[in-house]
Amino acid sequence: MNIAPHPSMRIQKLTIGRENAPLLVIDNLVADPEELVQDAISKKYAPPQSYYPGLRAKAPLSYQVFLVGELRTLLCDYFELEASSLRFSMCHYSVVTTPPAQLTALQRIPHVDSHEARGLASIHYLFKADLGGTAFYRHRATGFEYVDEARRSTYYPILEQELSGPAAPGPDYIHADTELFEQVGAQAGVFNRMLIYRRNSLHSGAPTRGVPLPADPASGRLSINSFLA
């Protein structure tokens, strides 16, 4: 697969909340996103060994090559990374499928993908329907918008108490503010848009309420999710 940049790629350099964690929003990422959709449709999907609420299949290696080739300088400059260390630890087609009523407690709240300060996560939206985007949060009790190694011992004991108390969230994906978390930013799921942020930022997918979540990548909430640093 020959993946090329879109001639009208648009890059926004943003920050998240009070703690100003960096966020990149890239619209019109690839020249032919439909080719990726068709490739995704051809894959076999399986539940991942993680809390991801859906199914995953490996994305093509050429996609990783494209991202590193096109975005290396941007990522290293904006996220203060060393160019020689930029590599992928995960790159998958992902389809959110879990109904709200079947979510575990940890799937109902924002999460971090890693506590490393330098690791990045990206999501590349490949659906056209109104299936929701991604939101970022502040934990009210601690004021944390990210959880790194230094904050783990403070954050998780408090969160554990909260999840067993009266403010524990009901069976739904988190949307907007709750008793435990304040939303500090959100980006819509726009076809061929990519978000890139630090893996230790508190975030959550925000599927549109009341909309079915089919497992078919042709009609479902399809994205490519990657971890890199």
Side-chain angles (χ1 to χ4, degrees):
M1 183 183 298
N2 183 22
I3 303 173
H6 197 288
S8 299
M9 183 187 295
R10 185 167 65 94
I11 299 169
Q12 298 180 72
K13 297 179 179 179
L14 307 177
T15 57
I16 302 167
R18 296 173 187 162
E19 298 196 305
N20 294 314
L23 169 66
L24 288 177
V25 180
I26 306 176
D27 287 297
N28 301 320
L29 178 68
V30 301
D32 189 0
E34 295 289 357
E35 183 181 26
L36 288 171
V37 174
Q38 291 306 309
D39 185 62
I41 291 170
S42 72
K43 301 292 185 180
K44 274 192 170 182
Y45 289 77
Q49 298 293 318
S50 69
Y51 286 103
Y52 181 78
L55 305 172
R56 281 183 163 160
K58 283 191 176 181
L61 182 59
S62 56
Y63 182 83
Q64 299 180 34
V65 173
F66 161 77
L67 287 186
V68 172
E70 290 296 323
L71 303 180
R72 179 187 295 275
T73 300
L74 173 66
L75 297 181
C76 291
D77 288 349
Y78 198 55
F79 292 97
E80 300 179 345
L81 302 175
E82 295 180 8
S84 61
S85 69
L86 198 61
R87 65 177 65 88
F88 285 79
S89 59
M90 186 272 283
C91 186
H92 289 101
Y93 291 116
S94 304
V95 185
V96 176
T97 59
T98 304
Q102 296 178 19
L103 294 172
T104 67
L106 292 179
Q107 291 172 326
R108 304 172 189 174
I109 61 172
H111 65 280
V112 300
D113 299 313
S114 168
H115 302 102
E116 298 176 13
R118 300 172 69 82
L120 305 182
S122 69
I123 179 168
H124 181 189
Y125 302 115
L126 291 174
F127 55 85
K128 296 178 180 177
D130 179 14
L131 298 177
T134 301
F136 300 89
Y137 290 86
R138 177 185 301 120
H139 182 233
R140 293 185 186 274
T142 61
F144 295 164
E145 295 172 5
Y146 67 87
V147 183
D148 60 5
E149 290 290 349
R151 291 180 168 185
R152 291 180 66 173
S153 60
T154 300
Y155 176 70
Y156 288 107
I158 295 173
L159 181 65
E160 186 176 359
Q161 290 182 351
E162 290 174 331
L163 293 182
S164 61
D172 195 3
Y173 291 92
I174 185 169
H175 295 85
D177 295 345
T178 70
E179 288 189 62
L180 304 184
F181 293 92
E182 177 186 357
Q183 189 179 108
V184 295
Q187 293 292 328
V190 176
F191 185 65
N192 205 21
R193 166 180 284 180
M194 172 177 273
L195 310 182
I196 308 175
Y197 46 90
R198 287 184 178 148
R199 291 172 62 187
N200 62 17
S201 290
L202 282 165
H203 65 281
S204 178
T208 303
R209 278 194 170 119
V211 176
L213 295 169
D216 182 0
S219 58
R221 197 177 185 276
L222 173 67
S223 63
I224 301 179
N225 295 67
S226 305
F227 293 158
L228 63 160

